[in-house]
Amino acid sequence: MATNDNVYRLQGLSCMNCAAKFEKNIRAISTVEDAQVNFGALKLTVKGDATIAQLEKAGAFDGIKVLSENEPPPENTTPFWRKRESITTIISLFFIIAGYVLYFQLEPKSPFTIGTFALAIIIGGYDLFKVGLKNLVKLDFDMKTLMTIAIIGAAIIGEWGEGAIVVFLFALSEALESFSINKARKSIRTLINIAPRKAMIKRGNSVEELNVEDIRINDIMILKPGEKAAMDGEIIKGESSLNQATITGESIPVHKTFGDEVFAGTINQEGYLEVRVTKRVEDTTLSKIIHLVEEAQAERAPSQQFVDKFAKYYTPAIMAIALLVAILPPIVVGASWTEWIYLGLAVLVVGCPCALVISTPVAIVTAIGNAARNGILIKGGIHLEETGRLNAIAFDKTGTLTEGTPEVTDIVPTEPYSEADILSLAHAIEAYSQHPLASAIIKKAKLVEGKKVNAENFQSITGKGAKAVINGKEVYIGNSVLFEEIGSLPRESKQRISSLQAEGKTVMILGTSNEVYGIIAVADQIRKSSFSIIDQLFKLGIQKTIMLTGDNKTTAVAIGNQLGLSETRADLLPEDKLTTIKSLQQKYGKVAMVGDGVNDAPALASANVGIAMGGAGTDTALETANIALMADDLEKLPYTISLSRKALHVIKQNIAFSLGLKIIALLLVIPGWLTLWLAIIADVGATLLVVLNSMRLMRAGERSSIENNV
């Protein structure tokens, strides 16, 4: 029998190891088929049946509270230094200092000295021992079990002072880890709390405030100046500027009027608006973004998969090494049992894989959360890492490198006609056409004052142009093929047409069967930002930039040359783009495809990283691409590459820090220099380095700081 996935939010989950243990305990419930804990987003997905009481019992070892998915956990506003674990850590430090004062003033073995150190151990290590001793009884060897064994062992051999220092430094590292993870999670909490939970809804003649869960599609939402939209919808009355920074990352307000789309979480800055609700609260663009970001944080990145596999064998290996260090020298060469048991305990402490376990997820959670705040949706750690390894980027042309809307660029009249005459005549014919080039002529004609001309008997000529009767004459507008067929294309016109086409422009001719009135050139304008963006990508280490387009080769090459692209491939159908991406992967390795997420879907899916433009409100872009630039703006692309490269560097540095410090500490066993406090400093030092290094990614909102560091 099929079972549904039940999703819950969590409160109190303190560490990655605790998440793994919690997951394991839930899977042990007989009615549960599977469970997955998303540590970054504090979410739990359970396949099967389990009550909240059963789930909280499974997490009782860490004081985990389980809430329904629609009940976000309250934000803990208690300052870091006022939290209980921080206070007990400080008290523990106070007793350690007092203990060492007594250590030097009285006998080291004095009951007062030992008692003071024992108080430091009990106060600072209460939570540690509570879990560690339970695990020890069950022979469940995690980090807290190893630490508990080491501290009890230190007390047994009389090293009370060092045991107290180990407790304090371990508590400090746990507090710092919790602090850094909470800072990273704040990105998601910020997104969750963006949209209001209530809205003013107009039904008939009455207006009432409703919870978003009670709002239905086609309800009318009232938006006054300064208010946030609670739902997605379409404006049916009024006009205003809306700040869409929460969705697109762009702080410049966008003017919207009748028929325009409004996103939940955006701010109405000026006028009064009535908005017809088009989506339920769980289907809004903001809800999709939050869901995708949370899922992204749960996905195991390649680096994390490596660390998880490594840690699986690493911990048992460290325990075996610690045991051998403790017993082999006394048995083989008659060395001091106390000295080598002490060294064995130190190996146990230094071997705690705390820093290694958090080395990747802290960086991933931080980078993905901050990217979301900047209008960039990265759908998983694997995509973040793949983006950091890109060698080449392929671009769709229309709507990506160009504006996507053709504009009239040149009007070349022949004697005795003027530009205004040409536009008036062309407008009269194209007013009946639905072709995109026709809209460009109509738009241009409205900006130029000319006499009004009426056309009759309009007829479209498929693939070539159109014709109509104006003032009793049959007037044509179309391409050179059409005019060569009717026999009215003089030599000088052909030369001018060739010149304009070489510039990447589409040329239309206006005239009769025996006379050319003039030439109109239309082109899809290159985005002004495209020039600097291509330059930035080369500076970031992207070796090749390639344009893939269905447009003709002449136009494509002209645009590619203007932008300074490495390569241009034209006349491509969607399936051709897919084939081209595969050939580029064989040639350059890691390749990204940037497109609009609709006709580029096959190429986006086959690239190592698919990057969709204009993800805001575009379901196809959100579903197909690995990364969605929520604003229809390429300027986010260099920032995304830069952030990903930075995150990849940080992950590699974290793994190197966590393993390197431990290897150095373990080598100190050979001359017998490793002490318990040195071991814990190596462990805490690695954790602290990993945390602080990952927190550098929190500056992701400052584009320049990322770009300057790559």
Side-chain angles (χ1 to χ4, degrees):
M1 185 177 68
T3 54
N4 295 325
D5 288 350
N6 300 301
V7 182
Y8 305 91
R9 293 195 179 274
L10 305 174
Q11 188 177 8
L13 183 61
S14 62
C15 67
M16 285 291 295
N17 278 297
C18 299
K21 186 174 180 180
F22 182 41
E23 200 174 87
K24 181 181 174 184
N25 290 349
I26 295 171
R27 287 195 181 115
I29 299 172
S30 59
T31 53
V32 170
E33 293 179 30
D34 195 16
Q36 184 182 27
V37 175
N38 183 333
F39 178 63
L42 284 177
K43 287 181 78 173
L44 165 67
T45 303
V46 177
K47 188 174 183 180
D49 296 317
T51 64
I52 286 181
Q54 285 178 301
L55 298 174
E56 289 189 342
K57 184 178 178 182
F61 68 93
D62 199 34
I64 298 167
K65 298 294 180 187
V66 180
L67 310 169
S68 70
E69 185 182 17
N70 296 324
E71 184 186 356
E75 186 175 349
N76 191 344
T77 55
T78 308
F80 174 69
W81 60 273
R82 290 187 63 183
K83 291 185 176 179
R84 186 183 66 83
E85 55 267 31
S86 300
I87 292 170
T88 56
T89 302
I90 293 168
I91 293 172
S92 176
L93 176 61
F94 169 78
F95 278 109
I96 289 171
I97 294 169
Y100 273 105
V101 169
L102 293 172
Y103 182 91
F104 292 110
Q105 295 294 323
L106 304 173
E107 286 290 322
K109 303 295 183 183
S110 163
F112 293 105
T113 305
I114 293 172
T116 306
F117 283 135
L119 279 172
I121 291 171
I122 293 167
I123 293 169
Y126 176 76
D127 292 332
L128 167 67
F129 297 140
K130 191 167 66 173
V131 177
L133 290 170
K134 282 182 184 177
N135 290 349
L136 188 57
V137 171
K138 298 175 185 176
L139 298 178
D140 183 4
F141 293 96
D142 64 3
M143 284 188 291
K144 291 186 177 180
T145 315
L146 302 186
M147 294 301 299
T148 300
I149 293 170
I151 293 161
I152 291 172
I156 290 171
I157 62 175
E159 298 292 343
W160 290 91
E162 292 201 19
I165 290 175
V166 168
V167 165
F168 166 72
L169 291 174
F170 183 76
L172 181 63
S173 71
E174 291 273 286
L176 287 170
E177 181 185 340
S178 173
F179 174 74
S180 67
I181 287 292
N182 285 335
K183 287 282 283 184
R185 285 174 180 153
K186 196 172 181 182
S187 299
I188 299 300
R189 276 202 304 271
T190 301
L191 285 174
I192 291 172
N193 296 327
I194 279 172
R197 303 303 300 170
K198 294 183 178 182
M200 297 303 296
I201 297 296
K202 180 181 177 182
R203 288 178 178 169
N205 295 321
S206 64
V207 177
E208 57 182 320
E209 188 177 52
L210 296 178
N211 291 325
V212 290
E213 290 81 10
D214 299 325
I215 298 173
R216 301 190 295 263
I217 292 174
N218 293 326
D219 276 343
I220 307 302
M221 177 173 64
I222 305 297
L223 269 187
K224 296 176 183 177
E227 289 185 341
K228 277 186 182 180
M231 308 289 287
D232 279 12
E234 179 184 7
I235 296 174
I236 60 170
K237 184 178 179 181
E239 59 180 292
S240 181
S241 292
L242 276 81
N243 187 328
Q244 301 188 145
T246 51
I247 302 295
T248 66
E250 296 299 325
S251 58
I252 298 172
V254 178
H255 185 77
K256 300 210 173 190
T257 185
F258 181 85
D260 287 337
E261 194 171 11
V262 172
F263 302 118
T266 58
I267 303 170
N268 178 23
Q269 296 201 313
E270 297 171 346
Y272 169 88
L273 295 176
E274 290 188 9
V275 180
R276 182 179 66 83
V277 175
T278 55
K279 294 178 182 177
R280 293 165 58 87
V281 64
E282 62 268 23
D283 298 324
T284 64
T285 299
L286 181 62
S287 295
K288 287 180 181 177
I289 293 170
I290 293 167
H291 174 73
L292 289 169
V293 171
E294 289 180 333
E295 292 304 306
Q297 292 185 339
E299 188 178 339
R300 293 281 196 268
S303 299
Q304 191 169 346
Q305 291 173 353
F306 159 74
V307 166
D308 290 345
K309 288 178 182 177
F310 185 81
K312 183 179 178 181
Y313 302 102
Y314 170 84
T315 303
I318 284 292
M319 291 184 65
I321 292 169
L323 182 63
L324 291 174
V325 167
I327 64 172
L328 274 185
I331 291 173
V332 175
V333 296
S336 166
W337 278 97
T338 302
E339 180 184 343
W340 285 95
I341 288 174
Y342 174 84
L343 282 170
L345 293 172
V347 169
L348 209 58
V349 171
V350 82
C352 284
C354 182
L356 184 64
V357 168
I358 69 167
S359 60
T360 298
V362 174
I364 294 289
V365 167
T366 304
I368 288 176
N370 281 275
R373 285 212 316 263
N374 282 277
I376 301 158
L377 180 59
I378 302 174
K379 291 167 65 175
I382 185 170
H383 308 306
L384 183 76
E385 290 195 17
E386 288 283 89
T387 305
R389 297 187 178 99
L390 289 176
N391 299 316
I393 300 180
F395 296 89
D396 174 47
K397 178 181 76 71
T398 307
T400 301
L401 293 171
T402 65
E403 297 288 354
T405 52
E407 293 181 13
V408 173
T409 58
D410 301 85
I411 301 171
V412 185
T414 57
E415 291 290 346
Y417 301 99
S418 67
E419 288 191 11
D421 293 335
I422 299 301
L423 279 173
S424 294
L425 291 167
H427 182 203
I429 302 173
E430 296 290 23
Y432 295 95
S433 176
Q434 299 298 317
H435 196 280
L437 298 181
S439 63
I441 290 172
I442 293 167
K443 183 179 176 183
K444 182 71 173 179
K446 287 178 179 178
L447 301 175
V448 177
E449 289 186 12
K451 60 183 179 180
K452 189 171 181 181
V453 179
N454 293 318
E456 299 173 335
N457 300 329
F458 171 85
Q459 185 179 341
S460 175
I461 304 170
T462 305
K464 297 173 186 176
K467 66 178 180 177
V469 176
I470 300 175
N471 298 328
K473 287 185 180 180
E474 196 167 55
V475 180
Y476 293 82
I477 185 168
N479 56 27
S480 56
V481 174
L482 172 64
F483 275 79
E484 283 174 349
E485 284 181 1
I486 63 176
S488 65
L489 195 58
R491 188 169 155 189
E492 60 271 20
S493 294
K494 288 182 181 180
Q495 290 174 343
R496 186 64 172 139
I497 289 166
S498 297
S499 173
L500 289 167
Q501 286 177 334
E503 295 173 15
K505 297 170 182 175
T506 300
V507 177
M508 291 180 288
I509 306 147
L510 179 73
T512 64
S513 58
N514 53 22
E515 182 185 6
V516 171
Y517 295 164
I519 296 168
I520 301 173
V522 175
D524 184 5
Q525 298 297 294
I526 297 173
R527 291 177 187 259
K528 292 178 182 177
S529 58
S530 295
F531 297 95
S532 64
I533 287 162
I534 298 300
D535 184 53
Q536 288 178 57
L537 291 175
F538 282 122
K539 288 179 180 176
L540 285 166
I542 299 298
Q543 299 166 17
K544 299 289 179 181
T545 53
I546 308 101
M547 182 168 70
L548 310 181
T549 178
D551 211 338
N552 67 77
K553 188 171 183 179
T554 304
T555 301
V557 169
I559 291 174
N561 290 340
Q562 286 183 64
L563 289 172
L565 298 173
S566 309
E567 195 176 334
T568 300
R569 301 196 185 186
D571 299 312
L572 300 177
L573 296 172
E575 54 266 33
D576 297 326
K577 290 184 180 181
L578 172 62
T579 306
T580 304
I581 286 292
K582 290 181 177 177
S583 69
L584 290 173
Q585 286 171 323
Q586 292 176 350
K587 192 173 181 181
Y588 301 120
K590 303 291 184 182
V591 176
M593 173 68 192
V594 184
D596 60 14
V598 183
N599 62 341
D600 296 314
L604 287 169
S606 64
N608 296 94
V609 182
I611 303 173
M613 297 277 292
T618 310
D619 289 344
T620 308
L622 292 176
E623 290 164 8
T624 307
N626 308 126
I627 296 175
L629 308 180
M630 302 307 291
D632 187 22
D633 185 1
L634 256 189
E635 287 187 16
K636 300 284 186 183
L637 183 58
Y639 169 58
T640 306
I641 304 289
S642 173
L643 170 64
S644 301
R645 291 215 191 301
K646 180 75 173 177
L648 196 58
H649 292 327
V650 165
I651 289 167
K652 289 176 180 177
Q653 289 164 359
N654 286 350
I655 293 172
F657 289 153
S658 55
L659 289 177
L661 279 176
K662 291 181 185 300
I663 290 169
I664 291 169
L666 287 172
L667 290 175
L668 295 178
V669 171
I670 298 169
W673 295 346
L674 183 63
T675 62
L676 274 175
W677 66 269
L678 270 179
I680 194 64
I681 281 177
D683 181 59
V684 173
T687 302
L688 187 59
L689 279 172
V690 163
V691 166
L692 293 177
N693 198 38
S694 298
M695 286 174 71
R696 290 194 299 145
L697 292 170
M698 289 186 180
R699 294 183 299 165
E702 304 165 21
R703 297 187 188 184
S704 59
S705 71
I706 291 289
E707 288 162 9
N708 292 336
N709 278 302
V710 173

